[in-house]
Amino acid sequence: MNYLSMKQDTTTALKAVATYAVGTAIVVGAVTLGIAYGKYSSKLEKKPTMIIQPSIKLKNISVAVNERKEILIIDRNTGEYLTYEDSVGMVIFNMYAGRIYAAQSGK
């Protein structure tokens, strides 16, 4: 056996081992990511959604705006509240304020 054929055999064997190693690394990495994602997603706290009845009486709720301009609609009976982002919150707040203004001014 001469040096060149030994070099070719070694190169061929190393290519096969490298291909196997890369394939194994991809499979192991995918399985690891899948398991990690499953564990992470199961630890996320799932917040229960609160169902709001379509007809809400103004005397049963309070409306507030926090420092991030998010609106809080607070149920006076239970103390539970919903938070809306600033754009939605400002529309709801303006409607609520308009109703209170109309009630106070007698319009």
Side-chain angles (χ1 to χ4, degrees), residues 17 23 54 59 63 84 89:
V17 169
K59 64 182 178 181
V63 177
Y84 292 96

Side-chain angles (χ1 to χ4, degrees), residues 5-18:
S5 79
M6 190 172 169
K7 184 178 176 183
Q8 287 177 340
D9 291 341
T10 305
T11 304
T12 305
L14 287 177
K15 283 183 182 179
V17 169

Side-chain angles (χ1 to χ4, degrees), residues 28 73 102 107:
V28 168
I73 298 181
K107 293 182 180 182

Side-chain angles (χ1 to χ4, degrees), residues 45-62:
E45 181 179 325
K46 295 181 175 109
K47 296 180 182 177
T49 56
M50 187 168 127
I51 299 172
I52 298 178
Q53 310 231 357
S55 60
I56 298 175
K57 307 276 186 207
L58 292 179
K59 64 182 178 181
N60 295 336
I61 63 167
S62 293

Side-chain angles (χ1 to χ4, degrees), residues 12 14 38 40 42 44 52 54-55 65 71-72 83 90 94 101 106:
T12 305
L14 287 177
Y40 175 74
S42 67
L44 291 177
I52 298 178
S55 60
V65 177
I71 192 166
L72 303 171
T83 305
M90 291 310 294
N94 289 335
Y101 176 76

Side-chain angles (χ1 to χ4, degrees), residues 18-33:
T19 302
Y20 178 75
V22 168
T24 302
I26 289 172
V27 170
V28 168
V31 169
T32 303
L33 285 174

Side-chain angles (χ1 to χ4, degrees), residues 78-91:
T78 63
E80 294 179 359
Y81 63 92
L82 292 174
T83 305
Y84 292 96
E85 64 183 40
D86 57 350
S87 59
V88 175
M90 291 310 294
V91 169

